[in-house]
Amino acid sequence: MGNPKGPLFPDEVILQILARLPVKSLFRFKSVCKAWCLLPSDGYFVTLFNQVSVKEQTLVAEVSDSSTLICVDNLRGVSEFSLEFLRDRVRIRASCNGLLCCASVPEKGVYYVCNPSTREFRMLPRSRERPVTRFYPDGEATLVGLACDVSKKGFYVVMAGYHRSFGHRPDGSFVCLVFDSESNKWRKFVSALEGCGGFTHMSKNQVVFVNGKLHWLMSGLCYVLALDLEHDVWRKVSLPDEISCGGNRVYLLELDGFLSVIQLSDVWMKIWKMRDYESEVWSVVDSISLRCIKGLVPGIFPICQTGEYVFLATHKQVLVYQRRSKLWKEMFSVKGSYSLPLWFSAHAFRSTIVPCNYAL
């Protein structure tokens, strides 16, 4: 038989294959030919790549004071990537659809939004709201959120907290600053959120962006606090009736584009999904036995999930639960005498080709 005269696969099939590669591999293959070199900047391919990538979740975690992060992938295992391109010592404050919002450790009030897959970043302009520490007692906002819709241009960064005069208790005014990447400016609005309650480290860490809104779980477990970014309005979203205020281990996550909560008991992990956002209708989509990891349950925290698997972190481990096979697997374990619990620095992450500098 002679050699085929045409290509082995149609162009569309090749694009579908390339869209399922890690971003790092995709950029490495740019040298194959001119057409592949142009792919990361081609609108059709970028849309295709992001549509495929948002269906998968990985877990990223900072395991030391260095700029190296570990990335745990359900299919590819464990890898590392670095934030050294920021040329600053940072910690991750929020993650959304491939972008990270990072705060400078040595210089309070300095924030970056970066895509670690493409190594592109953007330093945010300082807000003119100079008395920032008067309602952020530790020099940072109580809530930091990042919103990025891969089907649209740009992103938003949100910083919010109660206003307090120097040396006084919060006065009930909830101050919110919103950075719009397209205008490259901050806007501010103040809301009266009396009795809003507090936030734990985990509820601040697990901010969820769905339906054009950012969501945080209140520490009292009575409701979810949501910010409508289009109208600058806060909204309280009810939790399932079966989850009472207090006394539960409940965590707010995303599930394939929907708002979700995971409830933990000593022997069960129950996954809820909000099927109707406007009517606030929840339903149970899975109940998972924890008996085979019983010794780890008191210190285990769900970090991210899809319809296929759930990633959880303990003090030193990352576990994955495969929902179809109902199997548990240890994916990563911290070596040495690492002191901080791993879940303190673990975030949901997706690998996308979302740029940071649309408007620049």
Side-chain angles (χ1 to χ4, degrees):
M1 296 178 63
N3 294 326
K5 296 181 180 180
L8 187 60
F9 296 110
D11 289 345
E12 182 60 30
V13 174
I14 294 175
L15 292 180
Q16 290 287 343
I17 294 172
L18 294 176
R20 285 158 174 78
L21 292 176
V23 175
K24 187 176 180 179
S25 299
L26 182 67
F27 274 72
R28 186 186 305 127
F29 294 157
K30 287 175 65 176
S31 59
V32 171
C33 63
K34 184 177 180 180
W36 287 22
C37 181
L38 298 174
L39 283 179
S41 58
D42 178 77
Y44 172 79
F45 180 78
V46 169
T47 299
L48 175 63
F49 186 94
N50 290 338
Q51 287 174 344
V52 172
S53 64
V54 296
K55 297 177 182 178
E56 299 296 327
Q57 284 273 23
T58 60
L59 179 148
V60 297
E62 303 160 283
V63 295
S64 68
D65 291 332
S66 71
S67 58
T68 299
L69 305 175
I70 64 107
C71 180
V72 185
D73 186 292
N74 181 50
L75 296 176
R76 303 181 182 95
V78 180
S79 59
E80 293 185 357
F81 63 83
S82 172
L83 297 179
E84 289 181 349
F85 58 90
L86 296 177
R87 298 183 180 179
D88 195 356
R89 187 160 60 94
V90 299
R91 64 189 183 101
I92 300 172
R93 288 303 310 266
S95 172
C96 184
N97 287 335
L99 299 184
L100 299 178
C101 179
C102 303
S104 172
V105 174
E107 190 168 358
K108 296 294 184 182
V110 174
Y111 288 85
Y112 305 87
V113 171
C114 69
N115 185 328
S117 300
T118 63
R119 298 175 65 85
E120 183 186 27
F121 72 94
R122 181 167 177 175
M123 178 187 289
L124 304 188
R126 285 183 178 267
S127 166
R128 293 185 178 181
E129 184 72 18
R130 293 311 302 152
V132 65
T133 56
R134 295 193 178 184
F135 58 94
Y136 305 154
D138 63 351
E140 288 191 344
T142 301
L143 302 180
V144 176
L146 175 63
C148 170
D149 186 336
V150 296
S151 66
K152 301 177 181 179
K153 292 184 178 181
F155 60 85
Y156 295 96
V157 174
V158 172
M159 300 186 188
Y162 279 110
H163 178 270
R164 61 174 71 202
S165 301
F166 188 76
H168 293 78
R169 295 171 62 87
D171 62 10
S173 299
F174 207 61
V175 181
C176 185
L177 303 176
V178 180
F179 174 78
D180 183 340
S181 65
E182 291 199 82
S183 66
N184 199 41
K185 295 179 180 178
W186 293 88
R187 65 178 186 262
K188 172 187 173 182
F189 67 97
V190 181
S191 307
L193 291 178
E194 293 281 359
C196 183
F199 303 89
T200 65
H201 174 87
M202 287 302 293
S203 65
K204 289 189 292 184
N205 208 34
Q206 292 185 314
V207 52
V208 175
F209 176 62
V210 296
N211 295 313
K213 302 171 183 66
L214 288 168
H215 303 78
W216 290 269
L217 181 65
M218 304 303 299
S219 59
L221 300 182
C222 295
Y223 58 85
V224 174
L225 187 64
L227 174 61
D228 185 330
L229 289 164
E230 183 179 353
H231 302 100
D232 287 347
V233 174
W234 292 96
R235 167 187 171 181
K236 294 179 180 180
V237 178
S238 300
L239 288 168
D241 293 337
E242 291 83 347
I243 299 178
S244 60
C245 295
N248 289 280
R249 291 181 59 193
V250 180
Y251 305 92
L252 187 68
L253 281 78
E254 178 206 351
L255 177 56
D256 296 337
F258 292 85
L259 201 62
S260 172
V261 290
I262 292 185
Q263 182 182 19
L264 294 182
S265 68
D266 291 339
V267 293
W268 288 98
M269 179 168 67
K270 186 176 291 187
I271 301 177
W272 299 78
K273 175 180 175 180
M274 180 176 274
R275 295 194 179 277
D276 188 322
Y277 189 87
E278 294 305 319
S279 302
E280 300 183 1
V281 176
W282 296 85
S283 62
V284 177
V285 295
D286 211 347
S287 293
I288 300 165
S289 173
L290 302 177
R291 295 183 186 279
C292 62
I293 59 164
K294 187 175 182 180
L296 299 175
V297 172
I300 201 167
F301 295 82
I303 304 299
C304 57
Q305 63 176 335
T306 70
E308 303 294 325
Y309 52 85
V310 184
F311 275 120
L312 306 99
T314 69
H315 189 91
K316 288 189 173 186
Q317 299 164 289
V318 172
L319 305 178
V320 64
Y321 174 78
Q322 304 291 348
R323 294 174 61 183
R324 287 186 177 179
S325 63
K326 299 183 179 181
L327 295 177
W328 292 87
K329 181 181 179 181
E330 180 185 287
M331 298 291 291
F332 174 78
S333 180
V334 177
K335 309 302 180 184
S337 57
Y338 184 69
S339 57
L340 288 176
L342 192 60
W343 43 263
F344 261 109
S345 63
H347 299 262
F349 182 72
R350 291 181 168 104
S351 182
T352 63
I353 317 179
V354 174
C356 305
N357 298 315
Y358 273 120
L360 296 184

